[in-house]
């Protein structure tokens, strides 16, 4: 298989931190195959309807609604209306927030946009997102006209959308009364997990590294990330295993070992529990779907 699963940043978003465009599709079809990327992504459905799958959970998004795809969340998009389907896409690097946020709140905002808490707000209905819809329309218009100062206008409108999202999700991670230093220590721990997920990682070893007792570390970690340490680690390992299943020809046994699972049977049962399919079923059912998405089926502008 081709390495199309982890989406690399385009030059546009690397340079400006922002990428925005329109996607259209006619009829029911697979519009975007499962993939993930470090940027956060917001979809604004303008016509028809969409089914957005986020880490195995489906969300219906109708015309006039928007949905947040948090950083490094595996997602795919299907158009579900028989007629014309259209949506705006806004991608933004997390670093964009740092240019506007005070140092005191930078990590708080970043954690809110990367939280793996599946109960966090994800979809905004029509009456909730009028301001954000207006901002993305202005952004796309400024981008198309490219008049003097358009880059500033694009950034302002992108931040307007992000501000709406952050204010509406500020209670999802229960971070407001958490000390900044503690947030940073837990954030550093999540970075370590994402870089060393294939290794033998223990909560007790990590809490010693950041000078917290095991019980306190466990409680604070769940409060900030929305998951227990064990669930966060397993979630990370399964996400990388899913990526390998769909983008490589490695055996399931090798993938399990490469992603930190010492027992293949345990890996298979855990994967089935989280994804509702076995690793073999996922590879069989979705491997061919990716090559089916072509430029003939999808228009972007």
């Amino acid at each position: 298989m081709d390495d199309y699963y982890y989406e690399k940043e385009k030059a546009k978003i690397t340079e400006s931190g922002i990428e925005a465009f329109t996607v259209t599709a006619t009829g029911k079809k697979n519009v975007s195959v499962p993939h993930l990327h470090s940027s956060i992504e917001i979809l604004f459905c303008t016509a028809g309807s969409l089914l957005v799958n986020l880490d195995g959970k489906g969300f219906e998004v109708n015309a006039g609604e928007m949905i947040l795809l948090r950083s490094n969340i595996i997602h795919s998009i299907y158009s579900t209306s028989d007629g014309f389907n259209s949506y705006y896409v806004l991608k933004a690097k997390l670093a964009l927030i740092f240019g506007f946020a005070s140092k005191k709140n930078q990590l708080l905002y970043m954690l809110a946009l990367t939280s793996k808490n599946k109960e966090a707000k994800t979809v905004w209905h029509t009456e909730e997102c009028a301001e954000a819809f207006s901002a993305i329309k202005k952004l796309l218009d400024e981008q198309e006209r490219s008049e003097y100062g358009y880059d500033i206008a694009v950034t302002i409108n992108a931040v307007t959308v992000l501000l709406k999202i952050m204010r509406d999700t500020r209670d999802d991670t229960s971070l407001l009364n958490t000390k900044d230093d503690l947030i940073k220590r837990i954030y550093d721990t999540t970075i370590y997990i994402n870089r060393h997920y294939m290794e033998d990682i223990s909560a007790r070893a990590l809490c010693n590294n950041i000078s917290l007792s095991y019980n306190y570390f466990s409680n604070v970690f769940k409060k900030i990330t929305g998951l227990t340490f064990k669930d966060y680690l397993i979630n990370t390992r399964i996400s990388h295993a899913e990526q390998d299943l769909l983008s490589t020809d490695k055996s399931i046994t090798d993938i399990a070992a490469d992603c930190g699972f010492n027992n293949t049977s345990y890996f298979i049962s855990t994967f089935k529990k989280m994804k509702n399919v076995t690793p073999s079923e996922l590879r069989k059912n979705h491997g061919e779907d990716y090559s089916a998405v072509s430029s003939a089926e999808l228009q972007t502008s």
Side-chain angles (χ1 to χ4, degrees):
M1 296 182 183
D2 295 328
D3 187 16
Y4 44 67
Y5 187 68
Y6 189 92
E7 184 179 277
K8 297 180 180 179
E9 287 184 353
K10 298 179 182 178
K12 186 177 184 65
I13 195 169
T14 301
E15 178 182 346
S16 67
I18 300 167
E19 182 184 7
F21 52 91
T22 300
V23 176
T24 62
T26 302
K28 299 178 179 179
K29 62 181 59 175
N30 186 358
V31 180
S32 177
V33 299
H35 64 286
L36 74 162
H37 41 71
S38 59
S39 301
I40 61 170
E41 183 173 356
I42 304 101
L43 307 182
F44 303 80
C45 185
T46 56
S49 56
L50 307 170
L51 177 63
V52 182
N53 189 296
L54 304 179
D55 263 352
K57 184 176 181 180
F59 295 87
E60 181 180 355
V61 185
N62 298 304
E65 298 180 330
M66 75 175 186
I67 182 169
L68 169 65
L69 287 58
R70 288 174 168 83
S71 173
N72 289 313
I73 294 293
I74 297 172
H75 56 279
S76 59
I77 305 166
Y78 301 83
S79 57
T80 55
S81 170
D82 289 322
F84 180 73
N85 300 275
S86 176
Y87 59 94
Y88 301 144
V89 177
L90 171 61
K91 293 182 180 179
K93 293 181 68 171
L94 292 170
L96 182 68
I97 304 299
F98 284 2
F100 294 87
S102 65
K103 289 185 178 180
K104 175 182 178 181
N105 292 324
Q106 285 177 350
L107 288 176
L108 187 153
Y109 296 154
M110 181 169 285
L111 280 168
L113 292 172
T114 59
S115 171
K116 293 182 183 291
N117 183 357
K118 292 187 177 181
E119 302 304 316
K121 186 173 180 62
T122 301
V123 175
W124 279 254
H125 300 297
T126 304
E127 62 276 10
E128 300 176 293
C129 59
E131 181 182 1
F133 245 112
S134 176
I136 185 62
K137 289 178 182 178
K138 291 178 182 177
L139 187 159
L140 290 167
D141 180 61
E142 289 282 356
Q143 184 173 265
E144 182 178 1
R145 290 190 287 117
S146 296
E147 296 178 349
Y148 184 73
Y150 82 95
D151 52 339
I152 298 175
V154 165
T155 301
I156 290 172
N157 283 291
V159 172
T160 297
V161 175
L162 295 176
L163 177 60
K164 168 64 177 174
I165 289 171
M166 288 189 295
R167 284 182 169 172
D168 286 355
T169 59
R170 63 185 181 274
D171 295 328
D172 288 339
T173 53
S174 304
L175 295 175
L176 293 180
N177 295 319
T178 306
K179 294 180 179 179
D180 297 335
D181 176 63
L182 194 55
I183 292 175
K184 185 179 187 309
R185 281 190 274 179
I186 296 300
Y187 176 72
D188 288 344
T189 300
T190 65
I191 294 298
Y192 184 88
I193 292 172
N194 280 281
R195 290 176 178 172
H196 300 273
Y197 63 90
M198 71 294 294
E199 301 173 8
D200 184 15
I201 302 175
S202 74
R204 291 190 181 277
L206 288 182
C207 68
N208 288 335
N209 288 341
I210 59 175
S211 302
L212 295 176
S213 70
Y214 174 75
N215 288 336
Y216 187 59
F217 169 80
S218 298
N219 290 334
V220 172
F221 189 93
K222 184 174 182 180
K223 177 183 178 183
I224 290 178
T225 67
L227 294 173
T228 65
F229 173 86
K230 180 180 179 181
D231 287 344
Y232 190 97
L233 176 59
I234 290 176
N235 187 297
T236 301
R237 286 173 169 171
I238 291 295
S239 292
H240 283 277
E242 185 174 16
Q243 176 181 339
D244 285 348
L245 284 164
L246 297 173
S247 63
T248 76
D249 293 322
K250 292 191 297 185
S251 70
I252 291 174
T253 299
D254 286 343
I255 290 174
D258 291 345
C259 292
F261 292 93
N262 297 324
N263 184 296
T264 303
S265 296
Y266 174 69
F267 163 66
I268 293 172
S269 63
T270 301
F271 193 97
K272 174 70 179 296
K273 182 178 180 181
M274 292 185 63
K275 300 297 180 179
N276 296 318
V277 293
T278 66
S280 296
E281 290 170 341
L282 177 80
R283 181 173 266 175
K284 179 181 178 181
N285 295 340
H286 295 286
E288 295 180 357
D289 290 345
Y290 297 147
S291 59
V293 178
S294 66
S295 58
E297 295 178 309
L298 177 64
Q299 281 188 311
T300 61
S301 60

